[in-house]
Amino acid sequence: MNSILMDVLRGKTTSRPPVWMMRQAGRVLPRYRALRESHTFHELMHDPDLCAQVTLMPVEDLGVDAAILFSDILVIPVAMGASLEWSDHGPVFTNPLAQYDAPSKLIHPDPSRLEYIYHAIDRIIAQRNPDTPLIGFCGAPLTVLCYLLQGVSSKHDFPQAVKFFYSHPQETRRLIDQVVELTIEYALQQVAHGVNAFQIFESHAGLLPEEMYRELFLPAVARIGKALKEKNVPVIFFPKGIGYNLKYITPDMCDFISVDWQTDIVEARRQTDPNIGLQGNMDPRIFYAPKEVIRAKLESYIPFFAAHPNWIFNLGHGVLADTPVEQLKWTVEWIKNTNWNHDKI
Ligand code: CP3
């Protein structure tokens, strides 16, 4: 595969950073919005043709260097038996598990409920340009458990889930094991069906005290990362809000860390193991600013890339639904057309 993203993930030095954006599939693209008029999110995920179309759309319409599977991290709670409905405003859990004393007994993992996703991956692999890498993904155990235990939390602080971690430590460990086991099977199936790289989304790493995250949840991420690395698939870990725990992420868990917009990228580089590459971390809200502001931010990454070429351009969290698409296209073009080595000449 002739792919700048795969080259950087494999440790090669390239003339520019690769570019893709979290939440690039769906939400902002006009062609996606048009499809959403006649199909629900659930339909778009479940129909292999539609799923392949939406997955490849950002490569065609934005010019990014990779596709990410169009699906959701919440497919794992669903495959564990959680009652989840997709409303027009997002997911709705009708029976959150934090109200029970032993939720692990209510969970019935059924891997066959994930099979439709593998059919979609087959379709994407058949339809893509062979040089376009496909990124598979899953949620990390803490983030998945937040939804499983509490459902959606309006302020993203998941008080019921955190209360459960403190009040039911044994059950918490059982639930983590259940999520990890199904997630590893799911991740390895994605690999067997042809994904080229894999991202683990921990959107709520900042929810817990650093010590608790490090002791309880980071080892669970490591189990997933190691299983993928054994298959020689590059792993990117996005631990949003992880703070000083960056220091405790080791190269056996992942190859790259996707840095959130809260953290200065130079500081993240200082704290992270030198054998781990970085991805990120432009604030997705910067697209509301005029082009000069965006350009100045992009230019600030040039000396960073010159010093640390193991870097993938991305955002510090997902693209927001009301982002002007023109700004995204312009940013991708800027990254592809800029001379990133002029400091070295
Ligand atoms: O482009 C991509 O990144 C690929 C597809 C993808 C989706 N969700 C599709 C989606 C990915 C990687 C995700 C990950 C995801 N899902 C996360 C982790 C990353 C992050 O953004 O923090 C989380 C926490 C979820 C859970 C989730 N999915 C919520 C809370 C919601 C509703 C609110 C929202 O953000 O829209 C979703 C819905 C969702 N997932 C949509 C899409 C395209 C919107 C569906 C629609 O109405 O069209």
Side-chain angles (χ1 to χ4, degrees):
M1 179 179 269
N2 179 15
S3 150
I4 190 167
L5 177 78
M6 294 312 294
D7 283 351
V8 170
L9 285 170
R10 300 267 184 225
K12 285 191 200 148
T13 300
T14 51
S15 58
R16 66 160 175 94
V19 46
W20 71 280
M21 296 188 196
M22 290 190 267
R23 294 197 206 148
Q24 64 184 22
R27 295 190 176 88
V28 272
L29 295 179
R31 283 206 287 151
Y32 174 78
R33 297 225 167 178
L35 269 181
R36 273 290 267 117
E37 304 266 307
S38 46
H39 300 279
T40 63
F41 177 54
H42 184 271
E43 280 166 4
L44 294 177
M45 274 201 292
H46 281 74
D47 181 303
D49 271 328
L50 291 171
C51 179
Q53 214 177 307
V54 176
T55 300
L56 296 172
M57 239 177 228
V59 179
E60 293 155 10
D61 295 1
L62 298 177
V64 287
D65 294 312
I68 179 162
L69 173 66
F70 182 73
S71 185
D72 201 90
I73 63 163
L74 300 178
V75 299
I76 289 291
V78 171
M80 295 176 94
S83 45
L84 186 160
E85 283 154 26
W86 288 100
S87 80
D88 271 351
H89 310 288
V92 180
F93 285 83
T94 50
N95 190 20
L97 295 184
Q99 57 185 309
Y100 301 103
D101 275 329
S104 67
K105 294 204 180 89
L106 304 174
I107 279 171
H108 305 288
D110 178 0
S112 74
R113 297 188 68 176
L114 297 163
E115 270 166 19
Y116 72 96
I117 300 169
Y118 314 136
H119 299 313
I121 295 176
D122 293 342
R123 195 65 55 93
I124 298 161
I125 300 286
Q127 282 181 16
R128 70 167 172 186
N129 173 325
D131 288 331
T132 299
L134 175 62
I135 303 168
F137 73 91
C138 68
L142 167 62
T143 297
V144 170
L145 274 188
C146 284
Y147 289 98
L148 198 58
L149 286 166
Q150 165 145 19
V152 174
S153 171
S154 58
K155 289 194 237 126
H156 298 288
D157 53 357
F158 296 92
Q160 304 302 328
V162 177
K163 181 177 173 185
F164 189 92
F165 300 147
Y166 276 110
S167 57
H168 296 73
Q170 298 287 43
E171 260 302 289
T172 297
R173 285 182 189 277
R174 274 184 216 116
L175 290 169
I176 292 173
D177 282 343
Q178 287 174 319
V179 170
V180 168
E181 273 161 39
L182 186 61
T183 301
I184 288 178
E185 173 165 357
Y186 175 51
L188 295 183
Q189 281 294 335
Q190 291 189 44
V191 172
H193 285 263
V195 303
N196 304 97
F198 200 91
Q199 179 151 319
I200 303 172
F201 285 90
E202 185 76 285
S203 306
H204 304 302
L207 204 58
L208 301 176
E210 286 173 356
E211 185 187 22
M212 186 174 185
Y213 185 76
R214 193 160 70 232
E215 286 174 4
L216 204 52
F217 289 99
L218 199 54
V221 175
R223 283 170 65 192
I224 301 166
K226 283 175 189 166
L228 284 155
K229 282 176 65 73
E230 271 170 27
K231 299 286 172 194
N232 206 20
V233 171
V235 177
I236 308 166
F237 177 35
F238 173 53
K240 185 166 182 292
I242 193 156
Y244 291 108
N245 272 339
L246 268 181
K247 291 196 287 284
Y248 296 95
I249 303 174
T250 47
D252 56 330
M253 302 177 192
C254 64
D255 300 282
F256 273 65
I257 292 174
S258 199
V259 179
D260 57 36
W261 52 260
Q262 284 92 338
T263 309
D264 181 78
I265 193 93
V266 175
E267 191 51 36
R269 187 61 282 171
R270 241 179 250 136
Q271 295 202 21
T272 305
D273 186 301
N275 294 310
I276 299 178
L278 294 186
Q279 174 176 276
N281 70 335
M282 204 162 80
D283 186 353
R285 296 161 300 184
I286 201 173
F287 295 117
Y288 303 129
K291 288 228 168 37
E292 306 81 75
V293 175
I294 305 172
R295 185 186 289 116
K297 180 66 198 170
L298 289 169
E299 282 171 352
S300 77
Y301 284 112
I302 294 179
F304 177 77
F305 175 70
H308 309 288
N310 54 346
W311 172 63
I312 299 163
F313 178 88
N314 205 313
L315 306 178
H317 199 183
V319 175
L320 293 158
D322 62 352
T323 304
V325 184
E326 287 314 310
Q327 302 275 56
L328 299 180
K329 273 195 209 166
W330 181 86
T331 298
V332 174
E333 270 160 34
W334 191 94
I335 291 166
K336 288 167 125 181
N337 297 329
T338 290
N339 178 3
W340 287 83
N341 298 297
H342 70 77
D343 283 4
K344 289 184 192 157
I345 297 167

